[in-house]
Amino acid sequence: QVQLVESGGGLVQPGGSLRLSCAASGSIFSINAMGWYRQAPGKERELVATISSGGDTRYADSVKGRFTIGRDNAKHTVYLQMDNLKPEDTAVYYCNANILSGFNRNYWGQGTQVTVSS
């Protein structure tokens, strides 16, 4: 059984930083794209950033220049470094990964709360 476990959320003041981590575990043959999404209260879930198995990255316009996505393929882990955080970044952040484990499918983490407030 494949699982994604996130960590690193919390409360931070505007202008501060947080680093999210998401580790995949279980019977994994390979991992393709990994990414982060977020959902604020009353809003739909939206893409934050993705990274391919080869390291190509894509960001939402709202986070470009402030957030950095990275991955460690040996550890089956994806990271999201968030700098210069703004109140509008407040949301539940979800990890997503496209994993080949017997068959290919997308998996989601349980979500981690990020709150940006003074």
Side-chain angles (χ1 to χ4, degrees):
Q1 189 76 352
V2 174
Q3 281 189 315
L4 298 180
V5 178
E6 299 140 342
S7 61
L11 173 64
V12 64
Q13 292 186 344
S17 298
L18 282 175
R19 181 177 171 89
L20 305 182
S21 298
C22 172
S25 62
S27 180
I28 297 171
F29 181 74
S30 65
I31 302 179
N32 300 313
M34 304 183 82
W36 291 93
Y37 292 72
R38 67 186 181 187
Q39 187 167 18
K43 295 187 177 181
E44 293 187 352
R45 190 173 298 189
E46 64 176 1
L47 170 73
V48 176
T50 62
I51 183 167
S52 71
S53 58
D56 294 326
T57 59
R58 180 162 66 102
Y59 296 93
D61 288 342
S62 59
V63 307
K64 282 181 182 176
R66 301 188 298 119
F67 290 11
T68 304
I69 190 170
R71 64 189 285 172
D72 184 329
N73 290 329
K75 295 182 179 180
H76 293 163
T77 300
V78 62
Y79 306 96
L80 186 69
Q81 177 66 40
M82 304 185 293
D83 298 318
N84 190 21
L85 282 159
K86 303 176 180 181
E88 52 263 41
D89 294 318
T90 296
V92 178
Y93 284 69
Y94 296 92
C95 171
N96 175 273
N98 184 263
I99 297 174
L100 179 60
S101 173
F103 52 91
N104 186 278
R105 58 161 283 189
N106 280 321
Y107 292 85
W108 290 92
Q110 79 283 0
T112 185
Q113 177 70 46
V114 171
T115 302
V116 185
S117 175
S118 55

